[in-house]
């Protein structure tokens, strides 16, 4: 048979991969050194199996010529029985036996191209080596597969992974990479470190390394020497087939260790999931406890309505509240958002790892936190409203207290000396006309006293209002009011008694000075008018709107219009005095200049009239100043309204846009996540507008402005809207990230995800992000999920509801819906798989020992298992035995956290 026939064999059995050896054989240039290596290796490999049948071969091209040992080799390595061989020694007997062997090989799915029994019987070495290589490929290498690669690639990847940690080893092929012997030593040390001290090996001693590996493998691993160290070192490129054959023996020898490693990897993966989930649960509990404790500490302060009943004290409380809203609450808003994000991420990870849903400690559910937060916001609103109402009340109290003091001062000034005057007995020494004058004077006083009755009642009314409004210094107000009222009662009694005394003496008093009497009659009411006018002109006032100050300005204008008539009355009264002076001067009346009927003089009236004329422009200035203040307040209202009318709609538009993205129909999940993060950046970039509005709002409050007709927005509604927008963005980002996590871990496509989202949105008519049971059932039917209308169909549907709504809220959210649609068709770890992995590590025992866990698992995960596994209580238990079955089941059961 020529070399080109051999090429067909080589091409077929190289599994589509062509190394330099195949290229050389194609040209008929097979290196004699390679042929020698193959012959030795294939002979040793065949003998490693034939010895199980108590025989061996010495010359590979001679000992297989009659087909008997060839058939025996195939029976040993396959475990099957071939047809009975022909025992004759004729050529056709040998050809028949070799054909039986070749037919058996062909029955295993191997196509034998250009290999004929005649070449084997004739002792053709190349053809015989090609046939043995075919057998090695089929029975020793073909079943080797790592990560779905071909046999050769899988075996190479296995070597690379096992030798990766070792210095001076870099396995890239099956010829040069093994030439210095370190790769063989590394494979042995990786699985049996007790057999070789790798640290003492050197790359400069290839012959020593090869002999060490081959000797140890033969003596301790029952792997015969299939390669010659001298051939390996003296050949420029050792034969690939020979090395692959020898390395495959290592693979099969260590396959048991491979199973243990695979089992350990699976257990590590499951334990890491549990450890991460427990960490997230502990983080949630910590954050929830901290947030709830902060709310608990904050609520009594917000619910307190205690103050020192002073305007300054309430203003301090309002500043404390502003500091709380600016500095203390924003970090807690972020903490609440992080808490919800962590909770949703944890639940998603639990679903993806086939774990039960996480139930927080009683009182720390997301709903509990939401209720506590809602209570906090309600208390905030009520607290701020109370502070503002207190400011209005206390401002009015301060105004009333000043008004009380002002009127009391005037009244007490007027009553000074009145009791002594009423108790005087001066009338007993008077002449008749003096007595009559005293009587008229007393009548004038009575008139004046009656005129002051309104002032006393006003004082008492103001004191009563201060008591009703709980003025902080009500005691001193009541004391002074009582003193004024008691004095007023005494004045009334004294006046009555003096009048009775004068009436008793009236029989001897006849003459009345008409001119003095006229002055007294007209001067007294004019004097009272002057006193009242002076009070009105210095009267304090409080206004909050332009309309109120305009009303005061209009009233002041009307008053000024009456000054002309008052001036005429003043001149008329003063002329009476001038007439008295002229009369006294003309007739020289002794004591005639003294007016017996009044203490008022023209000088008194002139002085008060002059004061009134000076107070009028001062009142003008006071009212104009208040007008400017109210104009400034109006400007603040417009500034706040202009900014609020921009910020409010902006927040509403952002909220609508985020909600639209949250419906999940705008591009891929990555697109949605990108857009949401852009909105998040945009919202934070917009924050200066909120801060600017807060500054205007502070100026509004400091200006005691309590309403604004130019906008429907208040600072409170904008704050809540801002916080809700941030919360909505964070919640949607978290939901999209969890959907990406679900999609990638479950292996669903974007098209499937879009179909699920489209169906969900179709039945989510109100855009609430959740479906009622009837809507959920319709959604399942629209996706081709069969739910019968009979009793069994209802049972099936209730089972599904228990999965998607484990807390029985009455609604199905999209995350739960997506998880249900993908989980049943996805390969996930199960308790049974973990049990099988532990059984491998335990060597098929129903229990496992701590030393076995520490040997097979990383230290932290080994200790994790040892601390949590219960003792094994079955038969034949040894001290320290652990129950890995109940532990594995608990991993997928209820969490103790």
């Amino acid at each position: 048979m020529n070399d080109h026939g051999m090429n067909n064999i080589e091409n077929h059995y190289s599994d589509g991969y062509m190394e330099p050896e195949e290229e050389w054989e194609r040209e008929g240039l097979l290196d004699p050194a390679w042929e020698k290596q193959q012959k030795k290796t294939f002979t040793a490999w065949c003998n490693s199996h034939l010895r199980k049948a108590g025989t061996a071969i010495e010359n590979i091209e001679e000992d297989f010529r009659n087909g008997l040992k060839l058939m025996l080799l195939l029976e040993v390595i396959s475990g099957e029985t071939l047809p009975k061989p022909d025992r004759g020694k004729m050529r056709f007997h040998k050809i028949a036996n070799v054909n039986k062997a070749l037919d058996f090989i062909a029955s295993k799915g191997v196509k034998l191209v250009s290999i004929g029994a005649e070449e084997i019987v004739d002792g053709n070495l190349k053809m015989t080596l090609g046939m043995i290589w075919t057998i090695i490929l089929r029975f020793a290498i073909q079943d080797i597969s790592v990560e779905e690669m071909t046999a050769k690639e899988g075996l190479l990847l296995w070597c690379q992974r096992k030798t990766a940690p070792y210095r001076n080893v870099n396995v890239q092929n099956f010829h040069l990479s093994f030439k210095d012997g370190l790769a063989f030593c590394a494979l042995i040390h990786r699985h049996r470190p007790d057999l070789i001290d790798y640290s003492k090996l050197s790359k400069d001693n290839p012959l020593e390394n090869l002999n060490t590996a081959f000797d140890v493998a033969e003596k301790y691993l029952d792997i015969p020497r299939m390669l010659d160290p001298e051939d390996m070192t003296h050949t420029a490129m050792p034969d690939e087939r020979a090395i692959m054959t020898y390395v495959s023996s290592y693979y099969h020898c260590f396959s048991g260790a491979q199973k243990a490693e695979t089992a350990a990897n699976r257990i590590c993966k499951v334990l890491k999931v549990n450890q991460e989930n427990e960490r997230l649960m502990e983080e949630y509990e910590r954050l929830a406890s901290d947030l709830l404790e902060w709310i608990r500490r904050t609520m009594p302060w917000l619910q307190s309505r205690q103050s020192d009943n002073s305007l300054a004290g309430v203003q301090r409380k309002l500043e404390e509240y502003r500091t709380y809203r600016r500095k203390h609450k924003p970090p807690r808003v972020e903490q609440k958002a992080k808490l919800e994000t962590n909770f949703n991420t944890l639940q998603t990870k639990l679903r993806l790892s086939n774990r039960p849903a996480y139930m927080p400690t009683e009182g720390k559910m997301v709903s509990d936190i939401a209720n506590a937060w809602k209570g906090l916001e309600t208390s905030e609103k009520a607290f701020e409203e109370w502070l503002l109402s207190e400011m209005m009340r206390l401002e009015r109290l301060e105004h009333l207290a000043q008004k009380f003091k002002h009127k009391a001062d005037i009244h007490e000034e007027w009553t000074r000396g009145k009791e002594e005057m009423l108790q005087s007995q001066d009338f007993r020494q008077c002449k008749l006309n003096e007595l009559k004058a005293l009587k008229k004077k007393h009548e004038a006083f009575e008139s004046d006293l009656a005129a002051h009755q309104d002032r006393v009642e006003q004082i008492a009314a103001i004191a009563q209002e201060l008591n009703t409004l709980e003025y902080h210094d009500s005691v001193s107000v009541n004391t002074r009011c009582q003193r004024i009222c008691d004095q007023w009662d005494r004045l009334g009694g004294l006046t009555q008694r003096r009048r009775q005394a004068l009436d008793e003496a009236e029989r001897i008093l006849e003459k009345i000075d008409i001119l003095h009497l006229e002055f007294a009659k007209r001067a007294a009411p004019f004097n009272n008018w002057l006193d009242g006018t002076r009070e009105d002109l210095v009267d304090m006032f409080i206004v909050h709107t332009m309309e109120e100050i305009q009303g005061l300005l209009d009233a002041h204008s009307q008053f000024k219009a009456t000054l002309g008539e008052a001036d005429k009355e003043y001149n008329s009264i003063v002329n009476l005095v001038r007439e008295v002076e002229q009369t006294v001067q003309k007739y020289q009346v002794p004591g005639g200049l003294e007016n017996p009927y009044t203490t008022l003089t023209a000088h008194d009236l002139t002085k008060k009239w002059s004061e009134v004329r000076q107070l009028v422009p001062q009142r003008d200035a006071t009212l104009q100043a208040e007008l400017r203040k109210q104009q400034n307040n109006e400007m603040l209202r417009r500034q706040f309204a202009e900014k609020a009318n921009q910020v409010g709609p902006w927040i509403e538009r952002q909220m609508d846009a985020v909600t639209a993205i949250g419906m999940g129909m705008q591009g891929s999940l990555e697109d949605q996540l990108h857009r949401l993060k852009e909105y998040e950046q945009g919202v934070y970039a917009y924050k200066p507008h909120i801060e600017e509005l807060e500054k205007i709002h502070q100026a509004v409050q400091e200006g005691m402005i309590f309403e604004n007709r130019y906008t429907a927005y208040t600072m409170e509604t904008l704050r809540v809207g801002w916080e809700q927008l941030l919360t909505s963005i964070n919640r949607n980002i978290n939901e999209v990230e969890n959907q990406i996590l679900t999609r990638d871990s479950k292996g669903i496509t974007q098209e499937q995800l879009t179909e699920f989202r489209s169906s969900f949105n179709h039945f989510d008519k109100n855009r609430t992000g959740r479906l009622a049971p009837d809507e959920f059932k319709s959604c399942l039917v629209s996706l081709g999920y069969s739910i019968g209308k009979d009793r069994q169909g209802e049972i099936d549907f209730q089972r599904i509801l228990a999965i998607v709504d484990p807390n029985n809220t009455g609604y199905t959210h999209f995350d739960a819906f997506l998880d249900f649609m993908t989980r049943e068709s996805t390969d996930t770890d199960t308790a049974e798989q973990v049990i099988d992995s532990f059984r491998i590590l335990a060597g098929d025992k129903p229990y496992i020992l701590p030393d076995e866990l520490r040997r097979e698992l990383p230290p932290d995960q080994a200790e994790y298992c040892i601390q949590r596994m219960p003792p094994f209580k079955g038969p034949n238990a040894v001290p320290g035995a652990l129950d890995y079955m109940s532990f594995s089941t608990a991993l997928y059961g209820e969490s103790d956290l």
Side-chain angles (χ1 to χ4, degrees), residues 185-196 216 220-221 254:
C185 293
L187 286 174
I188 295 173
H189 184 271
R190 178 64 182 268
H191 296 91
R192 291 290 303 275
D194 55 312
L195 299 180
I196 290 180
V216 169
Y220 297 103
L221 303 178
F254 297 132

Side-chain angles (χ1 to χ4, degrees), residues 634-649 652 693 696-697 700 705-718:
E634 192 73 0
M635 178 190 70
L636 286 175
R637 288 189 185 96
R638 292 180 182 273
Q639 284 181 350
F640 179 85
E642 180 181 1
K643 193 67 179 176
N645 290 337
Q646 295 173 359
V647 172
E652 292 162 1
L693 203 55
I696 300 174
H697 178 63
V700 166
I705 303 170
F706 302 109
E707 78 289 327
N708 194 337
R709 62 179 177 274
Y710 300 113
T711 180
Y713 296 102
T714 66
M715 195 64 237
E716 178 62 25
T717 60
L718 293 176

Side-chain angles (χ1 to χ4, degrees), residues 772-839:
D774 290 344
E775 295 171 332
F776 176 56
K777 181 185 288 186
S778 300
C779 184
L780 289 177
V781 173
S782 74
L783 289 167
Y785 205 98
S786 177
I787 299 177
K789 295 185 178 180
D790 55 3
R791 182 172 178 272
Q792 185 59 44
E794 182 60 27
I795 293 174
D796 292 341
F797 182 63
Q798 291 302 321
R799 177 184 62 81
I800 295 172
L801 280 181
I803 295 173
V804 299
D805 184 19
N807 296 326
N808 198 25
T809 64
Y811 293 98
T812 300
H813 293 265
F814 181 72
D815 284 348
F817 166 72
L818 176 61
D819 181 59
F820 172 76
M821 293 304 297
T822 57
R823 68 187 298 182
E824 295 188 0
S825 61
T826 304
D827 181 27
T828 58
D829 288 320
T830 64
E832 291 74 14
Q833 291 173 326
V834 176
I835 290 173
D836 289 340
S837 298
F838 275 118
R839 184 178 291 112

